[in-house]
PDB file of all heavy atoms in Angstrom:
ATOM      1  N   GLU V 295       0.822  -1.214   0.000  1.00 96.00           N
ATOM      2  CA  GLU V 295       0.000   0.000   0.000  1.00 96.00           C
ATOM      3  C   GLU V 295       0.854   1.261   0.000  1.00 96.00           C
ATOM      4  O   GLU V 295       0.493   2.260  -0.604  1.00 96.00           O
ATOM      5  CB  GLU V 295      -0.955   0.009   1.198  1.00 96.00           C
ATOM      6  CG  GLU V 295      -1.913   1.165   1.140  1.00 96.00           C
ATOM      7  CD  GLU V 295      -2.953   1.167   2.244  1.00 96.00           C
ATOM      8  OE1 GLU V 295      -3.088   0.177   2.976  1.00 96.00           O
ATOM      9  OE2 GLU V 295      -3.641   2.197   2.378  1.00 96.00           O
ATOM     10  N   ARG V 296       1.986   1.209   0.701  1.00 96.00           N
ATOM     11  CA  ARG V 296       2.840   2.399   0.776  1.00 96.00           C
ATOM     12  C   ARG V 296       4.310   2.017   0.800  1.00 96.00           C
ATOM     13  O   ARG V 296       4.713   1.146   1.562  1.00 96.00           O
ATOM     14  CB  ARG V 296       2.532   3.204   2.044  1.00 96.00           C
ATOM     15  CG  ARG V 296       1.119   3.714   2.113  1.00 96.00           C
ATOM     16  CD  ARG V 296       0.864   4.501   3.390  1.00 96.00           C
ATOM     17  NE  ARG V 296      -0.574   4.576   3.593  1.00 96.00           N
ATOM     18  CZ  ARG V 296      -1.171   4.466   4.775  1.00 96.00           C
ATOM     19  NH1 ARG V 296      -0.469   4.310   5.865  1.00 96.00           N
ATOM     20  NH2 ARG V 296      -2.477   4.533   4.865  1.00 96.00           N
ATOM     21  N   VAL V 297       5.083   2.699  -0.031  1.00 96.00           N
ATOM     22  CA  VAL V 297       6.550   2.672   0.021  1.00 96.00           C
ATOM     23  C   VAL V 297       6.964   4.122  -0.122  1.00 96.00           C
ATOM     24  O   VAL V 297       6.777   4.720  -1.186  1.00 96.00           O
ATOM     25  CB  VAL V 297       7.177   1.851  -1.127  1.00 96.00           C
ATOM     26  CG1 VAL V 297       8.705   1.995  -1.108  1.00 96.00           C
ATOM     27  CG2 VAL V 297       6.798   0.397  -1.048  1.00 96.00           C
ATOM     28  N   TYR V 298       7.477   4.694   0.943  1.00 96.00           N
ATOM     29  CA  TYR V 298       7.888   6.094   0.913  1.00 96.00           C
ATOM     30  C   TYR V 298       9.260   6.248   1.539  1.00 96.00           C
ATOM     31  O   TYR V 298       9.563   5.624   2.556  1.00 96.00           O
ATOM     32  CB  TYR V 298       6.888   6.984   1.675  1.00 96.00           C
ATOM     33  CG  TYR V 298       5.587   7.160   0.942  1.00 96.00           C
ATOM     34  CD1 TYR V 298       4.451   6.456   1.322  1.00 96.00           C
ATOM     35  CD2 TYR V 298       5.486   8.032  -0.136  1.00 96.00           C
ATOM     36  CE1 TYR V 298       3.254   6.610   0.643  1.00 96.00           C
ATOM     37  CE2 TYR V 298       4.297   8.193  -0.822  1.00 96.00           C
ATOM     38  CZ  TYR V 298       3.185   7.481  -0.426  1.00 96.00           C
ATOM     39  OH  TYR V 298       2.007   7.637  -1.105  1.00 96.00           O
ATOM     40  N   VAL V 299      10.059   7.113   0.920  1.00 97.00           N
ATOM     41  CA  VAL V 299      11.417   7.394   1.386  1.00 97.00           C
ATOM     42  C   VAL V 299      11.600   8.900   1.397  1.00 97.00           C
ATOM     43  O   VAL V 299      11.168   9.591   0.458  1.00 97.00           O
ATOM     44  CB  VAL V 299      12.456   6.733   0.443  1.00 97.00           C
ATOM     45  CG1 VAL V 299      13.878   7.085   0.859  1.00 97.00           C
ATOM     46  CG2 VAL V 299      12.256   5.220   0.398  1.00 97.00           C
ATOM     47  N   LEU V 300      12.233   9.414   2.454  1.00 98.00           N
ATOM     48  CA  LEU V 300      12.541  10.841   2.500  1.00 98.00           C
ATOM     49  C   LEU V 300      13.327  11.238   1.253  1.00 98.00           C
ATOM     50  O   LEU V 300      14.232  10.517   0.818  1.00 98.00           O
ATOM     51  CB  LEU V 300      13.361  11.181   3.745  1.00 98.00           C
ATOM     52  CG  LEU V 300      12.631  11.087   5.083  1.00 98.00           C
ATOM     53  CD1 LEU V 300      13.626  11.224   6.240  1.00 98.00           C
ATOM     54  CD2 LEU V 300      11.531  12.131   5.189  1.00 98.00           C
ATOM     55  N   LYS V 301      12.970  12.370   0.695  1.00 96.00           N
ATOM     56  CA  LYS V 301      13.550  12.833  -0.574  1.00 96.00           C
ATOM     57  C   LYS V 301      15.081  12.860  -0.540  1.00 96.00           C
ATOM     58  O   LYS V 301      15.734  12.486  -1.513  1.00 96.00           O
ATOM     59  CB  LYS V 301      13.000  14.228  -0.893  1.00 96.00           C
ATOM     60  CG  LYS V 301      13.073  14.588  -2.340  1.00 96.00           C
ATOM     61  CD  LYS V 301      12.339  15.880  -2.608  1.00 96.00           C
ATOM     62  CE  LYS V 301      11.618  15.746  -3.935  1.00 96.00           C
ATOM     63  NZ  LYS V 301      10.680  16.812  -4.170  1.00 96.00           N
ATOM     64  N   GLU V 302      15.663  13.270   0.572  1.00 96.00           N
ATOM     65  CA  GLU V 302      17.121  13.376   0.641  1.00 96.00           C
ATOM     66  C   GLU V 302      17.824  12.025   0.548  1.00 96.00           C
ATOM     67  O   GLU V 302      19.037  11.959   0.319  1.00 96.00           O
ATOM     68  CB  GLU V 302      17.560  14.111   1.918  1.00 96.00           C
ATOM     69  CG  GLU V 302      17.267  13.351   3.201  1.00 96.00           C
ATOM     70  CD  GLU V 302      17.586  14.153   4.447  1.00 96.00           C
ATOM     71  OE1 GLU V 302      18.763  14.216   4.838  1.00 96.00           O
ATOM     72  OE2 GLU V 302      16.639  14.715   5.010  1.00 96.00           O
ATOM     73  N   PHE V 303      17.063  10.924   0.682  1.00 97.00           N
ATOM     74  CA  PHE V 303      17.641   9.591   0.598  1.00 97.00           C
ATOM     75  C   PHE V 303      17.264   8.861  -0.695  1.00 97.00           C
ATOM     76  O   PHE V 303      17.572   7.679  -0.848  1.00 97.00           O
ATOM     77  CB  PHE V 303      17.256   8.761   1.834  1.00 97.00           C
ATOM     78  CG  PHE V 303      17.836   9.325   3.091  1.00 97.00           C
ATOM     79  CD1 PHE V 303      17.072  10.146   3.908  1.00 97.00           C
ATOM     80  CD2 PHE V 303      19.151   9.084   3.453  1.00 97.00           C
ATOM     81  CE1 PHE V 303      17.598  10.699   5.069  1.00 97.00           C
ATOM     82  CE2 PHE V 303      19.696   9.629   4.599  1.00 97.00           C
ATOM     83  CZ  PHE V 303      18.922  10.443   5.412  1.00 97.00           C
ATOM     84  N   HIS V 304      16.597   9.562  -1.616  1.00 94.00           N
ATOM     85  CA  HIS V 304      16.298   8.960  -2.913  1.00 94.00           C
ATOM     86  C   HIS V 304      17.619   8.642  -3.618  1.00 94.00           C
ATOM     87  O   HIS V 304      18.596   9.362  -3.466  1.00 94.00           O
ATOM     88  CB  HIS V 304      15.465   9.903  -3.774  1.00 94.00           C
ATOM     89  CG  HIS V 304      14.037  10.003  -3.345  1.00 94.00           C
ATOM     90  ND1 HIS V 304      13.071  10.583  -4.125  1.00 94.00           N
ATOM     91  CD2 HIS V 304      13.398   9.571  -2.232  1.00 94.00           C
ATOM     92  CE1 HIS V 304      11.904  10.523  -3.506  1.00 94.00           C
ATOM     93  NE2 HIS V 304      12.080   9.924  -2.349  1.00 94.00           N
ATOM     94  N   GLY V 305      17.633   7.560  -4.363  1.00 92.00           N
ATOM     95  CA  GLY V 305      18.836   7.167  -5.087  1.00 92.00           C
ATOM     96  C   GLY V 305      19.804   6.347  -4.259  1.00 92.00           C
ATOM     97  O   GLY V 305      20.869   5.963  -4.747  1.00 92.00           O
ATOM     98  N   MET V 306      19.436   6.051  -3.008  1.00 95.00           N
ATOM     99  CA  MET V 306      20.316   5.275  -2.129  1.00 95.00           C
ATOM    100  C   MET V 306      19.808   3.845  -1.931  1.00 95.00           C
ATOM    101  O   MET V 306      20.195   3.171  -1.001  1.00 95.00           O
ATOM    102  CB  MET V 306      20.475   5.998  -0.783  1.00 95.00           C
ATOM    103  CG  MET V 306      21.127   7.364  -0.920  1.00 95.00           C
ATOM    104  SD  MET V 306      21.236   8.254   0.643  1.00 95.00           S
ATOM    105  CE  MET V 306      22.558   7.370   1.426  1.00 95.00           C
ATOM    106  N   HIS V 307      18.903   3.409  -2.795  1.00 95.00           N
ATOM    107  CA  HIS V 307      18.368   2.043  -2.803  1.00 95.00           C
ATOM    108  C   HIS V 307      17.493   1.703  -1.599  1.00 95.00           C
ATOM    109  O   HIS V 307      17.265   0.528  -1.315  1.00 95.00           O
ATOM    110  CB  HIS V 307      19.490   1.009  -2.959  1.00 95.00           C
ATOM    111  CG  HIS V 307      20.355   1.271  -4.147  1.00 95.00           C
ATOM    112  ND1 HIS V 307      19.924   1.110  -5.447  1.00 95.00           N
ATOM    113  CD2 HIS V 307      21.623   1.750  -4.238  1.00 95.00           C
ATOM    114  CE1 HIS V 307      20.887   1.443  -6.272  1.00 95.00           C
ATOM    115  NE2 HIS V 307      21.925   1.854  -5.578  1.00 95.00           N
ATOM    116  N   VAL V 308      16.992   2.715  -0.913  1.00 97.00           N
ATOM    117  CA  VAL V 308      16.107   2.483   0.234  1.00 97.00           C
ATOM    118  C   VAL V 308      14.781   1.901  -0.244  1.00 97.00           C
ATOM    119  O   VAL V 308      14.284   0.922   0.324  1.00 97.00           O
ATOM    120  CB  VAL V 308      15.870   3.789   1.030  1.00 97.00           C
ATOM    121  CG1 VAL V 308      14.969   3.535   2.236  1.00 97.00           C
ATOM    122  CG2 VAL V 308      17.191   4.408   1.458  1.00 97.00           C
ATOM    123  N   GLY V 309      14.219   2.485  -1.295  1.00 95.00           N
ATOM    124  CA  GLY V 309      12.970   1.969  -1.851  1.00 95.00           C
ATOM    125  C   GLY V 309      13.121   0.529  -2.296  1.00 95.00           C
ATOM    126  O   GLY V 309      12.224  -0.302  -2.071  1.00 95.00           O
ATOM    127  N   ARG V 310      14.244   0.207  -2.900  1.00 96.00           N
ATOM    128  CA  ARG V 310      14.516  -1.170  -3.342  1.00 96.00           C
ATOM    129  C   ARG V 310      14.543  -2.123  -2.153  1.00 96.00           C
ATOM    130  O   ARG V 310      13.998  -3.229  -2.213  1.00 96.00           O
ATOM    131  CB  ARG V 310      15.839  -1.200  -4.113  1.00 96.00           C
ATOM    132  CG  ARG V 310      16.296  -2.569  -4.504  1.00 96.00           C
ATOM    133  CD  ARG V 310      15.525  -3.102  -5.688  1.00 96.00           C
ATOM    134  NE  ARG V 310      15.992  -4.444  -5.959  1.00 96.00           N
ATOM    135  CZ  ARG V 310      15.237  -5.401  -6.433  1.00 96.00           C
ATOM    136  NH1 ARG V 310      13.993  -5.172  -6.762  1.00 96.00           N
ATOM    137  NH2 ARG V 310      15.729  -6.585  -6.646  1.00 96.00           N
ATOM    138  N   MET V 311      15.175  -1.703  -1.060  1.00 97.00           N
ATOM    139  CA  MET V 311      15.236  -2.552   0.136  1.00 97.00           C
ATOM    140  C   MET V 311      13.840  -2.774   0.725  1.00 97.00           C
ATOM    141  O   MET V 311      13.508  -3.879   1.158  1.00 97.00           O
ATOM    142  CB  MET V 311      16.182  -1.942   1.176  1.00 97.00           C
ATOM    143  CG  MET V 311      17.639  -2.019   0.772  1.00 97.00           C
ATOM    144  SD  MET V 311      18.728  -1.240   1.995  1.00 97.00           S
ATOM    145  CE  MET V 311      18.595  -2.414   3.342  1.00 97.00           C
ATOM    146  N   LEU V 312      13.023  -1.729   0.728  1.00 98.00           N
ATOM    147  CA  LEU V 312      11.660  -1.869   1.230  1.00 98.00           C
ATOM    148  C   LEU V 312      10.847  -2.787   0.319  1.00 98.00           C
ATOM    149  O   LEU V 312      10.067  -3.622   0.795  1.00 98.00           O
ATOM    150  CB  LEU V 312      10.998  -0.498   1.374  1.00 98.00           C
ATOM    151  CG  LEU V 312      11.565   0.381   2.488  1.00 98.00           C
ATOM    152  CD1 LEU V 312      11.088   1.818   2.333  1.00 98.00           C
ATOM    153  CD2 LEU V 312      11.194  -0.168   3.866  1.00 98.00           C
ATOM    154  N   LEU V 313      11.035  -2.652  -0.967  1.00 97.00           N
ATOM    155  CA  LEU V 313      10.359  -3.511  -1.941  1.00 97.00           C
ATOM    156  C   LEU V 313      10.787  -4.969  -1.737  1.00 97.00           C
ATOM    157  O   LEU V 313       9.952  -5.880  -1.749  1.00 97.00           O
ATOM    158  CB  LEU V 313      10.699  -3.037  -3.344  1.00 97.00           C
ATOM    159  CG  LEU V 313       9.895  -3.605  -4.489  1.00 97.00           C
ATOM    160  CD1 LEU V 313       8.411  -3.284  -4.331  1.00 97.00           C
ATOM    161  CD2 LEU V 313      10.410  -3.030  -5.805  1.00 97.00           C
ATOM    162  N   GLU V 314      12.069  -5.194  -1.541  1.00 96.00           N
ATOM    163  CA  GLU V 314      12.570  -6.551  -1.290  1.00 96.00           C
ATOM    164  C   GLU V 314      11.954  -7.141  -0.021  1.00 96.00           C
ATOM    165  O   GLU V 314      11.659  -8.333   0.032  1.00 96.00           O
ATOM    166  CB  GLU V 314      14.090  -6.551  -1.205  1.00 96.00           C
ATOM    167  CG  GLU V 314      14.757  -6.367  -2.549  1.00 96.00           C
ATOM    168  CD  GLU V 314      16.257  -6.147  -2.478  1.00 96.00           C
ATOM    169  OE1 GLU V 314      16.814  -6.062  -1.351  1.00 96.00           O
ATOM    170  OE2 GLU V 314      16.886  -6.040  -3.551  1.00 96.00           O
ATOM    171  N   LYS V 315      11.754  -6.304   1.002  1.00 98.00           N
ATOM    172  CA  LYS V 315      11.113  -6.775   2.230  1.00 98.00           C
ATOM    173  C   LYS V 315       9.683  -7.228   1.932  1.00 98.00           C
ATOM    174  O   LYS V 315       9.239  -8.277   2.424  1.00 98.00           O
ATOM    175  CB  LYS V 315      11.120  -5.667   3.294  1.00 98.00           C
ATOM    176  CG  LYS V 315      10.487  -6.074   4.602  1.00 98.00           C
ATOM    177  CD  LYS V 315      11.261  -7.208   5.249  1.00 98.00           C
ATOM    178  CE  LYS V 315      10.690  -7.592   6.587  1.00 98.00           C
ATOM    179  NZ  LYS V 315      11.420  -8.731   7.196  1.00 98.00           N
ATOM    180  N   ALA V 316       8.962  -6.456   1.141  1.00 97.00           N
ATOM    181  CA  ALA V 316       7.591  -6.831   0.789  1.00 97.00           C
ATOM    182  C   ALA V 316       7.565  -8.155   0.029  1.00 97.00           C
ATOM    183  O   ALA V 316       6.715  -9.019   0.295  1.00 97.00           O
ATOM    184  CB  ALA V 316       6.941  -5.722  -0.043  1.00 97.00           C
ATOM    185  N   ILE V 317       8.493  -8.334  -0.898  1.00 96.00           N
ATOM    186  CA  ILE V 317       8.554  -9.579  -1.668  1.00 96.00           C
ATOM    187  C   ILE V 317       8.903 -10.752  -0.758  1.00 96.00           C
ATOM    188  O   ILE V 317       8.329 -11.841  -0.874  1.00 96.00           O
ATOM    189  CB  ILE V 317       9.550  -9.428  -2.842  1.00 96.00           C
ATOM    190  CG1 ILE V 317       8.994  -8.407  -3.842  1.00 96.00           C
ATOM    191  CG2 ILE V 317       9.827 -10.771  -3.513  1.00 96.00           C
ATOM    192  CD1 ILE V 317       9.998  -7.927  -4.873  1.00 96.00           C
ATOM    193  N   GLU V 318       9.810 -10.525   0.176  1.00 96.00           N
ATOM    194  CA  GLU V 318      10.157 -11.555   1.163  1.00 96.00           C
ATOM    195  C   GLU V 318       8.916 -11.958   1.976  1.00 96.00           C
ATOM    196  O   GLU V 318       8.659 -13.141   2.188  1.00 96.00           O
ATOM    197  CB  GLU V 318      11.252 -11.009   2.092  1.00 96.00           C
ATOM    198  CG  GLU V 318      11.596 -11.888   3.263  1.00 96.00           C
ATOM    199  CD  GLU V 318      12.497 -11.159   4.268  1.00 96.00           C
ATOM    200  OE1 GLU V 318      13.446 -10.479   3.830  1.00 96.00           O
ATOM    201  OE2 GLU V 318      12.232 -11.262   5.477  1.00 96.00           O
ATOM    202  N   LEU V 319       8.148 -10.969   2.411  1.00 96.00           N
ATOM    203  CA  LEU V 319       6.921 -11.254   3.169  1.00 96.00           C
ATOM    204  C   LEU V 319       5.920 -12.015   2.314  1.00 96.00           C
ATOM    205  O   LEU V 319       5.283 -12.967   2.782  1.00 96.00           O
ATOM    206  CB  LEU V 319       6.298  -9.948   3.674  1.00 96.00           C
ATOM    207  CG  LEU V 319       7.087  -9.182   4.720  1.00 96.00           C
ATOM    208  CD1 LEU V 319       6.550  -7.762   4.874  1.00 96.00           C
ATOM    209  CD2 LEU V 319       7.067  -9.909   6.052  1.00 96.00           C
ATOM    210  N   ALA V 320       5.770 -11.605   1.058  1.00 95.00           N
ATOM    211  CA  ALA V 320       4.841 -12.292   0.150  1.00 95.00           C
ATOM    212  C   ALA V 320       5.261 -13.740  -0.055  1.00 95.00           C
ATOM    213  O   ALA V 320       4.423 -14.653  -0.016  1.00 95.00           O
ATOM    214  CB  ALA V 320       4.781 -11.556  -1.192  1.00 95.00           C
ATOM    215  N   ASN V 321       6.545 -13.967  -0.250  1.00 95.00           N
ATOM    216  CA  ASN V 321       7.035 -15.342  -0.419  1.00 95.00           C
ATOM    217  C   ASN V 321       6.818 -16.176   0.838  1.00 95.00           C
ATOM    218  O   ASN V 321       6.463 -17.347   0.743  1.00 95.00           O
ATOM    219  CB  ASN V 321       8.510 -15.338  -0.830  1.00 95.00           C
ATOM    220  CG  ASN V 321       8.701 -15.005  -2.288  1.00 95.00           C
ATOM    221  OD1 ASN V 321       7.902 -15.387  -3.137  1.00 95.00           O
ATOM    222  ND2 ASN V 321       9.766 -14.284  -2.597  1.00 95.00           N
ATOM    223  N   SER V 322       6.993 -15.574   2.005  1.00 95.00           N
ATOM    224  CA  SER V 322       6.782 -16.313   3.256  1.00 95.00           C
ATOM    225  C   SER V 322       5.312 -16.683   3.458  1.00 95.00           C
ATOM    226  O   SER V 322       4.997 -17.614   4.187  1.00 95.00           O
ATOM    227  CB  SER V 322       7.307 -15.521   4.456  1.00 95.00           C
ATOM    228  OG  SER V 322       6.446 -14.437   4.764  1.00 95.00           O
TER     229      SER V 322
END
């Protein structure tokens, strides 16, 4: 439903890490 990262941290793969967490949860 939500993946949000503070603007100053865009480009640091934070969104990717959060997305990977969601995929990990879905697989579990």
Side-chain angles (χ1 to χ4, degrees):
E295 186 176 350
R296 299 180 198 140
V297 174
Y298 288 103
V299 176
L300 290 171
K301 202 172 219 169
E302 67 186 279
F303 295 97
H304 286 193
M306 298 177 75
H307 306 290
V308 181
R310 174 77 182 147
M311 289 178 70
L312 291 166
L313 192 60
E314 287 171 356
K315 181 63 177 178
I317 293 167
E318 173 191 316
L319 293 166
N321 282 324
S322 74

